[in-house]
Every structure is written in structure tokens, then in C-alpha cells.
Amino acid sequence: GDGRYWPSSAWFAFGHGRRQLKKHPAMNTEYRTCLDVHSLGLSAVRCFVELMPNLDLVDDLAADPWLSEVMPKFREIRTAWNRYWADARRFW
């Protein structure tokens, strides 16, 4: 699969082998049971951010209390995702 969607346990197994991974119970459990969950979560965040409307076009946040509270959080999510995805693409 696409390495940008791999959890740390998959990278550990890739770099050090499954025998070494078995010495780390939490990572071994993640590797055996959560690979798809990790990838699905990243896919969901990516879809959410990429389908989010252009936040710079939202006018007059003060007119709607809900928007004034939520839009800054959406911007934070987009900023964090863009930073993560830039790193993932650079390293992969």
C-alpha cells in the first residue's frame, strides 16, 4: 500500500523486521489489528479537509456565533493536515 498511510508499526516492521516488532507488544498489536483503521482514519481526514469549502471566502463570522466558533477550528484542522501531508509526501 501507499506508505503515506502506514502507521509507525508498519514502518518499524519494514525497517527492522517482524521479529523485532514482536518485542514491542503495543506496536505489534497495532500492526496485527489496526492497519486498516489507521489508513481509513487518514483517508477520512483527507476527504474532510479536501472537501471543506474555501474558508477564506467565508464572510462576516461575527454575524453567526456558530461560524465564529467553528471556522477557526476548521482552519486549524486544515493547517495541521497540510503540514502532515506535506511531510508524508516529502518522506515517501
Side-chain angles (χ1 to χ4, degrees):
D2 187 334
R4 296 173 294 186
Y5 293 90
W6 289 7
S8 57
S9 60
W11 282 108
F12 189 92
F14 179 73
H16 301 284
R18 287 292 316 268
R19 285 188 182 152
Q20 289 298 315
L21 182 65
K22 289 179 182 179
K23 295 178 183 178
H24 303 275
M27 282 203 312
N28 192 41
T29 298
E30 178 189 66
Y31 184 82
R32 289 185 301 106
T33 63
C34 298
L35 292 181
D36 292 336
V37 172
H38 181 89
S39 298
L40 180 61
L42 285 176
S43 296
V45 173
R46 184 178 182 187
C47 286
F48 177 74
V49 170
E50 290 185 1
L51 295 173
M52 191 182 295
N54 185 344
L55 302 177
D56 296 329
L57 299 178
V58 177
D59 294 328
D60 200 14
L61 293 180
D64 186 333
W66 183 83
L67 280 179
S68 64
E69 186 176 333
V70 171
M71 295 310 282
K73 294 175 183 177
F74 281 176
R75 285 187 178 95
E76 289 178 28
I77 291 169
R78 177 171 275 162
T79 299
W81 173 259
N82 288 340
R83 188 177 321 120
Y84 167 79
W85 196 244
D87 287 345
R89 287 182 18 212
R90 182 169 45 101
F91 295 138
W92 182 247

XYZ file of all heavy atoms in Angstrom:
769
model
N 0.820 -1.187 0.000
C 0.000 0.000 0.000
C 0.867 1.255 0.000
O 2.089 1.215 0.052
N 0.208 2.355 -0.013
C 0.834 3.674 -0.036
C 1.423 3.977 1.334
O 0.706 4.062 2.325
C -0.228 4.697 -0.424
C 0.319 6.082 -0.658
O 1.371 6.425 -0.086
O -0.314 6.838 -1.420
N 2.713 4.159 1.406
C 3.414 4.389 2.665
C 2.972 5.625 3.413
O 3.192 5.740 4.620
N 2.336 6.567 2.729
C 1.852 7.771 3.410
C 0.723 7.440 4.377
O 0.399 8.237 5.247
C 1.383 8.809 2.392
C 2.525 9.312 1.513
C 2.015 10.197 0.427
N 1.186 9.410 -0.487
C 0.685 9.887 -1.622
N 0.903 11.131 -1.973
N -0.052 9.122 -2.396
N 0.134 6.274 4.228
C -0.977 5.870 5.082
C -0.572 4.817 6.110
O -1.415 4.298 6.824
C -2.129 5.331 4.219
C -2.756 6.394 3.361
C -2.286 6.644 2.081
C -3.816 7.146 3.838
C -2.858 7.619 1.294
C -4.401 8.129 3.052
C -3.920 8.355 1.783
O -4.488 9.328 1.010
N 0.696 4.480 6.174
C 1.163 3.456 7.112
C 1.296 4.026 8.519
O 1.810 5.124 8.706
C 2.532 2.945 6.699
C 2.577 2.090 5.481
C 1.571 1.812 4.605
C 3.719 1.404 4.989
N 2.020 1.006 3.601
C 3.349 0.738 3.813
C 5.031 1.299 5.428
C 4.226 -0.035 3.081
C 5.920 0.528 4.699
C 5.508 -0.139 3.538
N 0.921 3.243 9.538
C 1.203 3.659 10.916
C 2.670 3.373 11.248
O 3.374 2.678 10.510
C 0.269 2.787 11.744
C 0.081 1.558 10.923
C 0.138 2.015 9.484
N 3.100 3.882 12.373
C 4.504 3.713 12.767
C 4.880 2.240 12.901
O 6.023 1.869 12.611
C 4.793 4.466 14.066
O 3.938 4.026 15.087
N 3.937 1.396 13.317
C 4.260 -0.032 13.463
C 4.605 -0.671 12.117
O 5.480 -1.542 12.050
C 3.087 -0.781 14.102
O 1.919 -0.669 13.312
N 3.957 -0.249 11.055
C 4.273 -0.796 9.725
C 5.660 -0.346 9.284
O 6.415 -1.126 8.703
C 3.218 -0.368 8.714
N 5.982 0.912 9.564
C 7.329 1.386 9.221
C 8.385 0.658 10.041
O 9.466 0.340 9.539
C 7.426 2.903 9.423
C 6.789 3.636 8.295
C 5.611 4.320 8.319
C 7.281 3.714 6.958
N 5.344 4.831 7.077
C 6.349 4.481 6.220
C 8.404 3.213 6.304
C 6.520 4.751 4.877
C 8.572 3.498 4.961
C 7.638 4.256 4.262
N 8.082 0.406 11.313
C 9.017 -0.327 12.159
C 9.243 -1.728 11.606
O 10.388 -2.187 11.495
C 8.489 -0.396 13.596
C 9.480 -0.954 14.572
C 10.330 -0.113 15.266
C 9.569 -2.318 14.804
C 11.256 -0.620 16.160
C 10.491 -2.838 15.690
C 11.333 -1.991 16.369
N 8.160 -2.422 11.247
C 8.283 -3.771 10.683
C 9.056 -3.745 9.370
O 9.880 -4.628 9.110
C 6.899 -4.381 10.469
N 8.820 -2.734 8.561
C 9.524 -2.597 7.287
C 11.024 -2.403 7.513
O 11.853 -2.993 6.818
C 8.938 -1.408 6.514
C 9.597 -1.148 5.204
C 9.381 -1.981 4.116
C 10.420 -0.052 5.036
C 9.982 -1.737 2.888
C 11.026 0.210 3.818
C 10.805 -0.636 2.742
N 11.360 -1.577 8.493
C 12.769 -1.254 8.731
C 13.533 -2.259 9.568
O 14.735 -2.440 9.388
N 12.839 -2.909 10.492
C 13.534 -3.778 11.444
C 13.105 -5.231 11.390
O 13.748 -6.079 12.019
C 13.333 -3.251 12.870
C 13.829 -1.865 13.064
N 15.162 -1.553 13.184
C 13.159 -0.687 13.130
C 15.294 -0.250 13.336
N 14.097 0.298 13.301
N 11.999 -5.509 10.723
C 11.518 -6.887 10.617
C 10.490 -7.225 11.675
O 10.400 -6.586 12.718
N 9.734 -8.275 11.395
C 8.660 -8.693 12.298
C 9.195 -9.237 13.622
O 8.551 -9.093 14.658
C 7.794 -9.759 11.618
C 6.880 -9.263 10.517
C 5.755 -8.373 11.011
N 5.080 -8.834 12.196
C 3.995 -9.585 12.220
N 3.446 -9.976 11.111
N 3.447 -9.947 13.360
N 10.350 -9.863 13.603
C 10.894 -10.389 14.871
C 11.133 -9.263 15.873
O 10.836 -9.392 17.055
C 12.186 -11.157 14.623
C 11.959 -12.504 14.022
C 13.237 -13.301 13.968
N 12.978 -14.580 13.347
C 13.859 -15.264 12.683
N 15.092 -14.813 12.555
N 13.537 -16.424 12.149
N 11.695 -8.173 15.394
C 11.922 -7.028 16.282
C 10.600 -6.401 16.713
O 10.458 -5.955 17.854
C 12.811 -5.987 15.597
C 14.249 -6.409 15.436
C 14.906 -6.639 16.784
O 14.765 -5.867 17.716
N 15.640 -7.751 16.884
N 9.637 -6.369 15.801
C 8.329 -5.797 16.114
C 7.657 -6.567 17.250
O 7.019 -5.964 18.119
C 7.436 -5.806 14.870
C 6.049 -5.204 15.024
C 6.133 -3.707 15.326
C 5.230 -5.449 13.764
N 7.816 -7.880 17.272
C 7.193 -8.705 18.313
C 7.712 -8.371 19.708
O 7.056 -8.671 20.702
C 7.386 -10.184 18.009
C 6.547 -10.640 16.834
C 6.766 -12.099 16.536
C 5.937 -12.502 15.318
N 6.120 -13.904 14.970
N 8.851 -7.724 19.796
C 9.408 -7.327 21.093
C 8.718 -6.079 21.647
O 8.992 -5.673 22.773
C 10.911 -7.068 20.959
C 11.712 -8.304 20.606
C 13.173 -7.973 20.437
C 13.967 -9.205 20.015
N 15.396 -8.886 19.800
N 7.839 -5.479 20.861
C 7.123 -4.261 21.251
C 5.621 -4.555 21.163
O 5.009 -4.362 20.107
C 7.506 -3.089 20.342
C 8.973 -2.824 20.326
N 9.586 -2.041 21.270
C 9.948 -3.272 19.497
C 10.886 -1.998 21.017
N 11.129 -2.735 19.947
N 5.037 -5.057 22.259
C 3.654 -5.547 22.220
C 2.629 -4.545 21.679
O 1.749 -4.927 20.909
C 3.353 -5.902 23.679
C 4.684 -6.141 24.295
C 5.649 -5.243 23.574
N 2.715 -3.289 22.064
C 1.715 -2.313 21.599
C 1.810 -2.111 20.093
O 0.789 -2.105 19.394
C 1.887 -0.985 22.326
N 3.024 -1.968 19.595
C 3.182 -1.788 18.149
C 2.819 -3.060 17.402
O 2.247 -3.003 16.311
C 4.605 -1.344 17.785
C 4.833 0.114 18.058
S 6.180 0.870 17.110
C 7.509 -0.242 17.281
N 3.140 -4.203 17.964
C 2.794 -5.471 17.325
C 1.272 -5.628 17.225
O 0.750 -6.051 16.182
C 3.414 -6.641 18.088
C 3.340 -7.934 17.306
O 3.563 -7.964 16.102
N 3.006 -9.000 17.994
N 0.575 -5.264 18.280
C -0.891 -5.329 18.254
C -1.446 -4.363 17.209
O -2.353 -4.715 16.450
C -1.470 -5.005 19.643
O -0.997 -5.988 20.569
C -2.981 -5.005 19.626
N -0.908 -3.158 17.175
C -1.349 -2.201 16.155
C -1.118 -2.770 14.759
O -2.000 -2.710 13.905
C -0.593 -0.879 16.290
C -0.984 0.123 15.215
C -0.102 1.348 15.196
O 1.104 1.215 14.874
O -0.619 2.437 15.480
N 0.043 -3.344 14.541
C 0.381 -3.892 13.230
C -0.574 -5.027 12.841
O -1.008 -5.118 11.702
C 1.827 -4.395 13.227
C 2.306 -4.884 11.897
C 2.751 -3.986 10.943
C 2.311 -6.239 11.588
C 3.198 -4.421 9.697
C 2.748 -6.694 10.360
C 3.196 -5.783 9.418
O 3.631 -6.221 8.191
N -0.905 -5.869 13.809
C -1.759 -7.024 13.513
C -3.236 -6.666 13.392
O -3.969 -7.330 12.679
C -1.592 -8.099 14.597
C -0.251 -8.805 14.541
C -0.139 -9.951 15.554
N -0.325 -9.502 16.929
C -1.419 -9.739 17.648
N -2.427 -10.398 17.146
N -1.505 -9.312 18.887
N -3.676 -5.612 14.073
C -5.124 -5.385 14.161
C -5.613 -4.028 13.659
O -6.824 -3.875 13.468
C -5.609 -5.543 15.618
O -4.985 -4.547 16.432
C -5.275 -6.932 16.150
N -4.740 -3.060 13.472
C -5.222 -1.698 13.219
C -4.712 -1.046 11.940
O -4.907 0.161 11.754
C -4.864 -0.802 14.399
S -5.620 -1.306 15.943
N -4.064 -1.792 11.075
C -3.531 -1.156 9.859
C -4.635 -0.491 9.047
O -4.501 0.650 8.597
C -2.794 -2.178 8.992
C -1.502 -2.736 9.550
C -0.881 -3.711 8.548
C -0.523 -1.637 9.893
N -5.733 -1.190 8.853
C -6.823 -0.640 8.053
C -7.494 0.538 8.757
O -7.893 1.502 8.109
C -7.858 -1.712 7.731
C -7.299 -2.774 6.792
O -6.345 -2.470 6.050
O -7.818 -3.904 6.801
N -7.612 0.462 10.069
C -8.245 1.544 10.827
C -7.413 2.818 10.690
O -7.952 3.906 10.474
C -8.415 1.150 12.310
C -8.896 2.322 13.150
C -9.362 -0.024 12.438
N -6.108 2.692 10.803
C -5.218 3.849 10.670
C -5.363 4.475 9.281
O -5.548 5.686 9.153
C -3.766 3.402 10.909
C -2.773 4.498 10.811
N -2.420 5.272 11.890
C -2.063 4.967 9.757
C -1.530 6.162 11.501
N -1.299 6.001 10.222
N -5.314 3.651 8.267
C -5.428 4.149 6.889
C -6.804 4.754 6.628
O -6.910 5.790 5.960
C -5.165 3.015 5.896
O -3.859 2.532 6.062
N -7.835 4.130 7.149
C -9.187 4.657 6.979
C -9.321 6.017 7.662
O -9.928 6.941 7.113
C -10.217 3.680 7.538
C -11.675 4.105 7.428
C -12.083 4.279 5.974
C -12.565 3.088 8.125
N -8.753 6.147 8.837
C -8.793 7.430 9.552
C -8.102 8.526 8.775
O -8.631 9.644 8.643
N -6.922 8.235 8.250
C -6.222 9.238 7.441
C -7.008 9.583 6.182
O -7.080 10.748 5.779
C -4.823 8.748 7.066
C -3.795 8.772 8.177
C -2.478 8.163 7.701
C -3.571 10.185 8.667
N -7.610 8.578 5.573
C -8.425 8.822 4.379
C -9.617 9.714 4.713
O -9.964 10.614 3.936
C -8.924 7.505 3.781
O -7.837 6.726 3.341
N -10.243 9.480 5.857
C -11.393 10.290 6.263
C -10.987 11.743 6.511
O -11.674 12.672 6.064
C -12.034 9.698 7.519
N -9.870 11.950 7.191
C -9.401 13.320 7.434
C -9.055 13.993 6.111
O -9.415 15.159 5.888
C -8.196 13.342 8.399
C -7.620 14.744 8.504
C -8.591 12.829 9.764
N -8.400 13.271 5.228
C -8.049 13.848 3.932
C -9.305 14.256 3.158
O -9.362 15.362 2.608
C -7.227 12.855 3.115
C -6.767 13.432 1.808
C -5.911 12.475 1.025
N -5.469 13.115 -0.206
C -4.818 12.497 -1.163
N -4.502 11.219 -1.038
N -4.452 13.133 -2.246
N -10.297 13.408 3.120
C -11.561 13.742 2.428
C -12.226 14.947 3.077
O -12.694 15.854 2.388
C -12.514 12.558 2.451
S -12.043 11.235 1.336
N -12.281 14.956 4.393
C -12.897 16.074 5.116
C -12.230 17.396 4.748
O -12.904 18.375 4.425
C -12.811 15.821 6.625
C -13.357 16.932 7.461
C -14.725 17.129 7.564
C -12.500 17.768 8.152
C -15.231 18.158 8.350
C -13.003 18.800 8.933
C -14.371 18.997 9.031
N -10.901 17.415 4.778
C -10.173 18.655 4.502
C -10.289 19.051 3.034
O -10.514 20.222 2.715
C -8.696 18.524 4.933
C -7.870 19.696 4.443
C -8.598 18.406 6.445
N -10.156 18.088 2.137
C -10.189 18.426 0.718
C -11.584 18.836 0.244
O -11.703 19.596 -0.723
C -9.648 17.268 -0.115
C -8.145 17.106 0.071
C -7.525 16.049 -0.813
O -8.254 15.416 -1.607
O -6.310 15.852 -0.703
N -12.633 18.371 0.922
C -13.991 18.750 0.547
C -14.508 19.960 1.319
O -15.593 20.461 1.043
C -14.942 17.564 0.736
C -14.661 16.371 -0.177
C -15.539 15.197 0.206
C -14.839 16.739 -1.633
N -13.710 20.430 2.271
C -14.077 21.604 3.051
C -14.115 22.823 2.124
O -13.254 22.961 1.252
C -13.003 21.802 4.139
C -13.335 22.797 5.207
S -11.940 22.971 6.375
C -11.871 21.365 7.131
N -15.109 23.692 2.280
C -15.134 24.885 1.425
C -13.930 25.785 1.705
O -13.297 25.673 2.759
C -16.434 25.575 1.815
C -16.796 25.035 3.146
C -16.194 23.668 3.239
N -13.660 26.652 0.779
C -12.569 27.607 0.949
C -12.914 28.520 2.120
O -13.832 29.339 2.033
C -12.364 28.412 -0.335
C -11.168 29.328 -0.238
O -10.660 29.603 0.852
N -10.720 29.808 -1.372
N -12.179 28.385 3.193
C -12.506 29.117 4.415
C -12.230 30.599 4.291
O -12.777 31.399 5.049
C -11.731 28.515 5.584
C -11.976 27.023 5.827
C -11.109 26.518 6.960
C -13.433 26.749 6.097
N -11.404 30.989 3.356
C -11.114 32.411 3.166
C -12.289 33.147 2.539
O -12.347 34.373 2.574
C -9.865 32.588 2.300
C -8.627 32.026 2.979
O -8.582 32.057 4.232
O -7.737 31.541 2.278
N -13.231 32.413 1.968
C -14.387 33.035 1.331
C -15.562 33.218 2.281
O -16.586 33.784 1.906
C -14.839 32.198 0.127
C -13.797 32.035 -0.983
C -14.359 31.153 -2.093
C -13.368 33.384 -1.528
N -15.424 32.736 3.509
C -16.500 32.892 4.489
C -16.431 34.301 5.057
O -15.441 34.687 5.659
C -16.383 31.837 5.614
C -17.453 32.049 6.656
C -16.468 30.447 5.025
N -17.475 35.056 4.820
C -17.523 36.455 5.258
C -18.320 36.593 6.547
O -19.182 35.787 6.860
C -18.186 37.322 4.185
C -17.358 37.392 2.916
O -16.116 37.330 3.020
O -17.955 37.482 1.830
N -18.040 37.630 7.256
C -18.842 38.065 8.388
C -19.070 36.971 9.428
O -20.201 36.575 9.706
C -20.177 38.622 7.890
C -20.816 39.529 8.945
O -20.117 39.926 9.897
O -22.017 39.808 8.807
N -17.966 36.492 10.002
C -18.075 35.472 11.042
C -18.814 35.979 12.271
O -19.473 35.214 12.966
C -16.682 34.980 11.453
C -15.904 34.209 10.405
C -14.547 33.805 10.965
C -16.659 32.992 9.943
N -18.730 37.279 12.516
C -19.375 37.837 13.702
C -20.897 37.746 13.616
O -21.580 37.733 14.632
C -18.931 39.281 13.895
N -21.442 37.672 12.423
C -22.890 37.630 12.256
C -23.482 36.294 12.718
O -24.655 36.224 13.051
C -23.258 37.882 10.801
N -22.693 35.261 12.748
C -23.185 33.934 13.140
C -22.292 33.387 14.240
O -21.137 33.048 14.005
C -23.166 33.006 11.919
C -23.784 31.654 12.202
O -23.773 31.210 13.370
O -24.273 31.033 11.247
N -22.815 33.280 15.461
C -21.989 32.798 16.577
C -21.407 31.412 16.342
O -20.275 31.137 16.730
C -22.943 32.787 17.769
C -24.090 33.640 17.380
C -24.155 33.638 15.884
N -22.172 30.536 15.700
C -21.676 29.193 15.425
C -20.467 29.252 14.497
O -19.449 28.611 14.749
C -22.778 28.340 14.804
C -22.360 26.921 14.566
C -22.363 25.918 15.483
C -21.860 26.356 13.353
N -21.894 24.748 14.914
C -21.583 24.995 13.597
C -21.614 26.865 12.084
C -21.069 24.152 12.625
C -21.115 26.017 11.116
C -20.848 24.675 11.390
N -20.582 30.014 13.414
C -19.456 30.145 12.477
C -18.238 30.768 13.145
O -17.111 30.337 12.905
C -19.855 30.984 11.265
C -20.648 30.295 10.184
C -20.991 31.287 9.070
C -19.902 29.110 9.620
N -18.455 31.760 13.974
C -17.315 32.422 14.613
C -16.574 31.483 15.546
O -15.387 31.653 15.799
C -17.763 33.678 15.359
O -18.618 33.341 16.419
N -17.268 30.468 16.056
C -16.621 29.491 16.924
C -15.991 28.343 16.138
O -14.908 27.862 16.458
C -17.640 28.922 17.912
C -17.036 28.007 18.939
C -18.057 27.540 19.957
O -19.040 28.244 20.205
O -17.844 26.447 20.513
N -16.669 27.891 15.099
C -16.254 26.691 14.371
C -15.190 26.967 13.304
O -14.256 26.180 13.138
C -17.486 26.004 13.736
C -17.071 24.896 12.803
C -18.389 25.469 14.825
N -15.298 28.056 12.598
C -14.390 28.300 11.471
C -12.916 28.356 11.881
O -12.075 27.798 11.180
C -14.799 29.560 10.716
C -16.171 29.429 10.051
S -16.370 27.930 9.069
C -15.492 28.398 7.616
N -12.562 28.989 12.990
C -11.145 28.944 13.384
C -10.644 27.507 13.632
O -9.496 27.176 13.328
C -11.093 29.775 14.664
C -12.262 30.695 14.555
C -13.329 29.883 13.850
N -11.523 26.654 14.137
C -11.139 25.260 14.375
C -10.955 24.514 13.056
O -10.051 23.698 12.913
C -12.173 24.570 15.260
C -12.193 25.169 16.657
C -13.277 24.609 17.504
C -13.263 25.318 18.852
N -14.330 24.890 19.708
N -11.820 24.809 12.085
C -11.647 24.224 10.753
C -10.322 24.663 10.141
O -9.628 23.865 9.510
C -12.797 24.621 9.832
C -14.062 23.840 10.031
C -15.188 24.159 9.309
C -14.150 22.789 10.933
C -16.373 23.451 9.459
C -15.323 22.073 11.103
C -16.431 22.409 10.365
N -9.972 25.919 10.341
C -8.682 26.412 9.822
C -7.518 25.667 10.475
O -6.538 25.335 9.817
C -8.563 27.917 10.031
C -9.406 28.722 9.080
C -9.128 30.231 9.208
N -9.910 30.964 8.247
C -11.094 31.524 8.506
N -11.610 31.442 9.721
N -11.753 32.168 7.562
N -7.630 25.425 11.775
C -6.580 24.682 12.480
C -6.459 23.265 11.942
O -5.344 22.755 11.769
C -6.868 24.640 13.984
C -6.684 25.967 14.684
C -7.043 25.873 16.162
O -6.918 24.789 16.760
O -7.449 26.903 16.716
N -7.594 22.633 11.684
C -7.573 21.274 11.123
C -6.898 21.285 9.761
O -6.044 20.451 9.474
C -9.005 20.702 11.013
C -9.570 20.444 12.411
C -9.021 19.427 10.173
C -11.059 20.134 12.420
N -7.279 22.244 8.922
C -6.689 22.328 7.587
C -5.173 22.585 7.672
O -4.398 21.963 6.958
C -7.359 23.416 6.751
C -6.693 23.550 5.378
C -7.447 24.456 4.465
N -8.485 23.639 3.835
C -9.549 24.124 3.236
N -9.765 25.411 3.204
N -10.431 23.324 2.678
N -4.770 23.480 8.541
C -3.344 23.780 8.699
C -2.577 22.549 9.173
O -1.517 22.221 8.628
C -3.139 24.943 9.693
O -3.798 26.104 9.171
C -1.667 25.241 9.917
N -3.103 21.846 10.163
C -2.435 20.640 10.680
C -2.363 19.567 9.600
O -1.317 18.921 9.431
C -3.175 20.120 11.911
N -3.453 19.371 8.866
C -3.447 18.367 7.802
C -2.433 18.726 6.724
O -1.676 17.863 6.277
C -4.827 18.197 7.175
C -4.735 17.295 5.987
C -4.710 17.664 4.676
C -4.550 15.873 6.000
N -4.544 16.559 3.875
C -4.447 15.454 4.664
C -4.472 14.934 7.017
C -4.270 14.117 4.326
C -4.296 13.605 6.664
C -4.198 13.204 5.334
N -2.417 19.977 6.296
C -1.478 20.383 5.247
C -0.030 20.168 5.679
O 0.799 19.731 4.881
C -1.715 21.843 4.851
C -2.986 22.033 4.067
O -3.527 21.083 3.492
N -3.499 23.251 4.045
N 0.254 20.428 6.943
C 1.606 20.192 7.465
C 1.919 18.697 7.462
O 2.984 18.273 7.025
C 1.721 20.762 8.876
C 3.130 20.726 9.423
C 3.246 21.369 10.811
N 2.444 22.560 10.972
C 1.466 22.696 11.887
N 1.195 21.725 12.725
N 0.782 23.811 11.978
N 0.977 17.880 7.948
C 1.170 16.431 7.967
C 1.363 15.888 6.549
O 2.287 15.122 6.285
C -0.029 15.722 8.621
C 0.006 14.240 8.378
C 0.842 13.423 9.131
C -0.725 13.657 7.344
C 0.920 12.069 8.884
C -0.654 12.302 7.088
C 0.171 11.515 7.855
O 0.276 10.182 7.596
N 0.488 16.275 5.635
C 0.516 15.717 4.288
C 1.785 16.144 3.544
O 2.359 15.357 2.794
C -0.741 16.105 3.524
C -0.948 15.264 2.316
C -0.943 15.689 1.022
C -1.160 13.848 2.262
N -1.149 14.629 0.175
C -1.294 13.491 0.914
C -1.262 12.856 3.236
C -1.515 12.181 0.505
C -1.488 11.563 2.816
C -1.614 11.235 1.477
N 2.228 17.367 3.759
C 3.486 17.816 3.131
C 4.645 16.957 3.624
O 5.497 16.525 2.826
C 3.733 19.293 3.451
N 4.683 16.678 4.921
C 5.744 15.799 5.463
C 5.619 14.386 4.915
O 6.613 13.773 4.520
C 5.695 15.774 6.987
C 6.204 17.056 7.621
O 6.858 17.854 6.917
O 5.943 17.249 8.818
N 4.411 13.847 4.902
C 4.207 12.482 4.420
C 4.651 12.351 2.956
O 5.299 11.381 2.579
C 2.739 12.080 4.563
N 4.310 13.324 2.143
C 4.699 13.289 0.731
C 6.215 13.449 0.572
O 6.836 12.796 -0.260
C 3.977 14.383 -0.045
C 2.527 14.054 -0.236
C 1.756 15.063 -1.043
N 2.554 15.939 -1.841
C 2.227 17.190 -2.116
N 1.130 17.697 -1.630
N 2.994 17.944 -2.853
N 6.798 14.308 1.399
C 8.253 14.533 1.314
C 9.025 13.283 1.720
O 10.005 12.897 1.094
C 8.635 15.712 2.199
C 10.101 16.088 2.159
C 10.354 17.416 2.847
N 9.685 17.560 4.120
C 10.293 17.396 5.286
N 11.559 17.083 5.345
N 9.609 17.552 6.418
N 8.599 12.632 2.794
C 9.313 11.455 3.279
C 9.064 10.239 2.412
O 9.884 9.336 2.354
C 8.920 11.151 4.730
C 9.339 12.208 5.692
C 8.475 12.619 6.695
C 10.576 12.837 5.595
C 8.861 13.609 7.597
C 10.962 13.823 6.475
C 10.091 14.201 7.488
N 7.924 10.149 1.784
C 7.605 8.995 0.971
C 8.168 9.190 -0.400
O 8.746 8.460 -1.074
C 6.103 8.771 0.894
C 5.731 7.568 0.110
C 5.073 7.540 -1.078
C 6.003 6.191 0.405
N 4.914 6.260 -1.531
C 5.479 5.413 -0.633
C 6.651 5.549 1.447
C 5.557 4.019 -0.653
C 6.721 4.160 1.409
C 6.179 3.420 0.380
